[in-house]
Amino acid sequence: METEIITFDLQVQTAGWVGLGVTDRYTNVGADLVVGGVLPDGTVYFSDQHLVDDDTLEEDGSQDAVLQLLTEDAVYTTMRFSRPFRSCDSHDGDITSDTIRVLAAYGLDDTVRLERERTFVKSIFLLQIVHPDDLDAPAISYIHDLEITDFLIPEDDTTYACTFLPLPIVKEKHHIYKFEPKLLYHNETMVHHILVYACGNASALPTGISDCYGADPAFSLCSQVILGWAVGGTSYQFPDDVGISIGTPMDPQWIRLEVHYSNFHNLPGVYDSSGIRVYFTPILRKYDLGVLQIGFFTFPIHFIPPGAESFMSYGLCRTEKFEEMNGTPVPDIQVCGYLLHTHLAGRSLQAVQYRNGKQIRTICKDDAYDFNLQEPRDMKEHVTVKMGDELLVECQYQTLDRTMLTFGGPSTMNEMCLIFLFYYPRNNISSCMGYPDIIHVAHELGEEAEDSMEGMMAMNNVEWTPEIIKKAEKACKEADQVVIIKTIDEMVRNQTGRIPDILPTPRGPCLESSGGKVEPGDKTPAGFRAAPPIHSGSSPTTPLTILLLLQGGFSWLLFSLQGAI
């Protein structure tokens, strides 16, 4: 069996104590925090602790962090320690590929007590921390900006502004290998997301800027997402062997740029020039990249009851008709990255793959999704999707703070359940999404409905108790799914399917400690003991680095990852 060890380096501009740990989205109470410092007489103190209330720490009964370095000079206190990804101590948060909420704190002296102004929480993808500046760029590259210019943001809560723009004009094939957002500093918090859609070359496109989904349906043309940025994201560089092709007769020449503004404070007179900057090169990669949008077909069937501790929504994709829709044979799809997307009520997402009726893997998941951190992630290993496979997206929501139904839709207060899969080689399929038979759902809840509109309206008549919420979730899962497949040229085909069960992903082993931690799906009982960590120089190490700019006295946080057998 194998366990994994992660090593943290923490440097803080203080002569007091420092601490680093993991917390959750709701409260810091119960969070784990590894604390250390150097007393005035040079004595080093270090311990694995947890919060018993908002500002009081208590030492864990099991000490699972291992000190490697702790120094103090005239400017900084520096601490390096290691800990298992998953200890058996119930007070230690697990290190996973999910969004991790890192808790960091420090004091001005050696009295260990949390103070709000010196306590920080930041969501990061801890196990995917390759900084964009650390990646190699092609020897020859060019920049092209796709942006809305001097757009007056309406005073409405939600605005979807769209315009059509040409891609770079090149005489031969090039690859887009990187993109990043272009945001005006004072407008950044008002931009919810930016999407770039490729247009089929036969499309007749309008001019100007208009509401994407308003009175003129022409501004919603083009449905093949090729690039996307959302809240919390930064730049993204594709894997070295793939890029978005431009410059050939098969490639799009125009795109639709979509900018979603959330003007919650209804501010007047705000102009914006946001967009996406793309980097492209004539040095070609091996494969052309495509993007497949899967999940729950957003409008008009999606609903989430109010007052739900947990409510699951499902969107099914069936690939058996892809070749017919594509017009030519479709080779196996190799998934190399993904982007998860819900709005404020979203708590977790996963995409699960089935072949011949059997679940074969979870393609991607995040059980600690954070709306404020949405950016593409690379796959640890590329995943093969064969024609005939089914892809199921499951989204979990929580609406305890809501008294009205939440519907699928474009507003930030509406909801979505989407996963964008980055894959190669590219085909013509742009999206494959599903939604349940809402008439069946209404009937299961004792409501009358003859068509889908009546079915959705009937949801407003339901008295939403916890029991009825679970009944609605069950009815949505057991209903026939309508599966909608679209191509880059706006061809649409409908299918039907049923939602398969999802088998839980087994947990890895925990590293032995007193107290014990056993959870459903564990591969081995609590108390499994792997070999002790082998530190630098004794085993292969794969460094992962991130520049994490918090505030106050934190100058940097360096994370390095090593595996021990």
Side-chain angles (χ1 to χ4, degrees):
M1 298 292 268
E2 177 181 312
T3 191
E4 294 168 298
I5 303 296
I6 187 166
T7 299
F8 296 91
D9 274 88
L10 172 65
Q11 187 175 74
V12 186
Q13 188 174 338
T14 184
W17 67 273
V18 298
L20 188 72
V22 176
T23 186
D24 66 28
R25 71 179 299 150
Y26 301 108
T27 177
N28 288 339
V29 176
D32 72 80
L33 193 70
V34 176
V35 171
V38 182
L39 296 172
D41 64 3
T43 303
V44 169
Y45 58 94
F46 174 83
S47 66
D48 185 2
Q49 303 193 19
H50 63 276
L51 273 75
V52 294
D53 57 37
D54 287 331
D55 54 15
T56 306
L57 288 157
E58 182 178 281
E59 191 170 281
D60 291 2
S62 173
Q63 293 294 298
D64 299 289
V66 177
L67 179 63
Q68 298 181 4
L69 173 73
L70 220 172
T71 62
E72 181 184 303
D73 59 25
V75 180
Y76 297 112
T77 295
T78 302
M79 179 172 68
R80 178 185 302 149
F81 67 92
S82 62
R83 55 149 290 181
F85 277 29
R86 185 167 186 250
S87 80
C88 299
D89 183 357
S90 58
H91 291 303
D92 292 343
D94 291 352
I95 303 296
T96 69
S97 59
D98 296 338
T99 301
I100 300 295
R101 289 166 178 83
V102 174
L103 172 65
Y106 72 102
L108 299 180
D109 56 31
D110 293 303
T111 302
V112 180
R113 182 178 179 83
L114 262 67
E115 298 174 331
R116 179 170 299 181
E117 64 271 23
R118 284 180 282 276
T119 302
F120 314 97
V121 176
K122 184 176 181 66
S123 292
I124 61 175
F125 303 142
L126 188 56
L127 299 188
Q128 180 171 307
I129 47 181
V130 177
H131 195 275
D133 293 341
D134 295 332
L135 298 173
D136 293 332
I140 304 172
S141 65
Y142 307 98
I143 291 174
H144 183 79
D145 290 336
L146 304 165
E147 59 186 355
I148 287 179
T149 304
D150 295 328
F151 175 68
L152 177 61
I153 301 175
E155 297 176 34
D156 302 326
D157 291 350
T158 298
T159 299
Y160 274 71
C162 276
T163 190
F164 294 87
L165 300 168
L167 284 167
I169 299 173
V170 291
K171 295 181 179 179
E172 59 184 3
K173 181 172 180 173
H174 286 57
H175 270 141
I176 295 174
Y177 68 92
K178 177 182 175 180
F179 66 92
E180 63 189 20
K182 285 198 68 182
L183 303 169
L184 290 186
Y185 177 74
H186 65 281
N187 296 138
E188 183 168 351
T189 56
M190 297 176 68
V191 179
H192 171 280
H193 75 241
I194 305 171
L195 291 176
V196 176
Y197 298 84
C199 295
N201 292 332
S203 302
L205 306 177
T207 59
I209 303 173
S210 186
D211 187 341
C212 304
Y213 308 106
D216 186 349
F219 277 89
S220 63
L221 288 173
C222 311
S223 58
Q224 171 72 71
V225 174
I226 57 171
L227 299 170
W229 171 90
V231 175
T234 56
S235 64
Y236 179 67
Q237 185 165 318
F238 297 119
D240 290 341
D241 53 352
V242 298
I244 296 173
S245 179
I246 57 174
T248 80
M250 299 297 294
D251 297 328
Q253 299 173 15
W254 288 76
I255 59 93
R256 172 165 66 96
L257 181 69
E258 172 185 294
V259 183
H260 174 188
Y261 296 100
S262 294
N263 190 358
F264 285 134
H265 300 293
N266 308 116
L267 299 175
V270 179
Y271 287 84
D272 185 63
S273 298
S274 291
I276 294 284
R277 169 168 289 178
V278 299
Y279 296 76
F280 61 102
T281 178
I283 303 173
L284 299 182
R285 273 98 189 284
K286 187 174 181 180
Y287 300 107
D288 293 341
L289 184 81
V291 181
L292 176 65
Q293 180 177 329
I294 60 175
F296 197 116
F297 194 79
T298 301
F299 184 81
I301 301 300
H302 199 187
F303 75 91
I304 303 159
E309 175 72 35
S310 173
F311 187 83
M312 300 293 191
S313 293
Y314 300 90
L316 182 66
C317 168
R318 302 180 65 188
T319 66
E320 61 188 28
K321 298 296 183 181
F322 274 22
E323 290 195 344
E324 180 181 324
M325 295 285 290
N326 191 59
T328 58
V330 176
D332 293 347
I333 291 173
Q334 306 294 329
V335 180
C336 58
Y338 61 96
L339 173 68
L340 310 177
H341 183 66
T342 75
H343 290 175
L344 296 172
R347 295 297 182 266
S348 68
L349 302 87
Q350 66 173 326
V352 183
Q353 181 183 7
Y354 300 82
R355 184 172 298 154
N356 300 322
K358 294 182 178 180
Q359 180 177 328
I360 60 173
R361 66 170 58 88
T362 298
I363 296 176
C364 56
K365 68 181 300 186
D366 192 335
D367 287 332
Y369 174 81
D370 187 342
F371 170 82
N372 293 306
L373 180 60
Q374 301 182 54
E375 61 182 12
R377 310 186 213 184
D378 294 328
M379 300 289 293
K380 185 177 180 180
E381 297 178 350
H382 294 184
V383 168
T384 300
V385 177
K386 294 182 176 293
M387 294 304 96
D389 287 356
E390 292 186 341
L391 307 176
L392 176 64
V393 175
E394 177 190 72
C395 293
Q396 180 192 31
Y397 302 94
Q398 186 187 91
T399 57
L400 291 175
D401 59 342
R402 303 190 183 191
T403 58
M404 304 291 289
L405 277 167
T406 299
F407 291 104
S411 168
T412 306
M413 295 307 296
N414 293 138
E415 266 308 332
M416 292 186 176
C417 174
L418 302 174
I419 295 180
F420 299 90
L421 298 179
F422 300 98
Y423 73 90
Y424 63 89
R426 181 187 70 184
N427 58 54
N428 290 326
I429 307 299
S430 62
S431 64
C432 180
M433 298 184 287
Y435 64 87
D437 177 0
I438 193 65
I439 300 174
H440 167 84
V441 176
H443 291 169
E444 288 295 303
L445 298 179
E447 301 291 335
E448 295 184 1
E450 298 298 327
D451 56 36
S452 295
M453 183 61 70
E454 288 185 4
M456 285 301 291
M457 292 178 63
M459 296 301 107
N460 289 303
N461 302 327
V462 177
E463 294 289 335
W464 293 107
T465 65
E467 293 76 19
I468 296 298
I469 289 172
K470 285 302 176 186
K471 188 174 183 179
E473 179 182 271
K474 183 173 183 289
C476 288
K477 184 178 181 183
E478 293 178 349
D480 286 341
Q481 279 260 319
V482 178
V483 180
I484 300 177
I485 305 172
K486 294 183 70 173
T487 71
I488 188 173
D489 295 316
E490 307 299 322
M491 292 177 56
V492 178
R493 183 185 179 105
N494 293 351
Q495 293 179 277
T496 58
R498 301 300 295 269
I499 298 297
D501 290 329
I502 298 177
L503 302 176
T505 303
R507 301 290 297 271
C510 60
L511 193 64
E512 182 182 8
S513 54
S514 60
K517 176 167 63 177
V518 181
E519 299 179 31
D522 284 350
K523 284 184 177 179
T524 58
F528 166 78
R529 183 74 185 182
I534 304 173
H535 299 303
S536 179
S538 301
S539 69
T541 299
T542 304
L544 301 174
T545 61
I546 184 171
L547 185 64
L548 182 60
L549 301 177
L550 295 173
Q551 44 186 307
F554 287 93
S555 60
W556 52 260
L557 287 173
L558 174 66
F559 302 98
S560 66
L561 172 67
Q562 69 180 30
I565 303 300

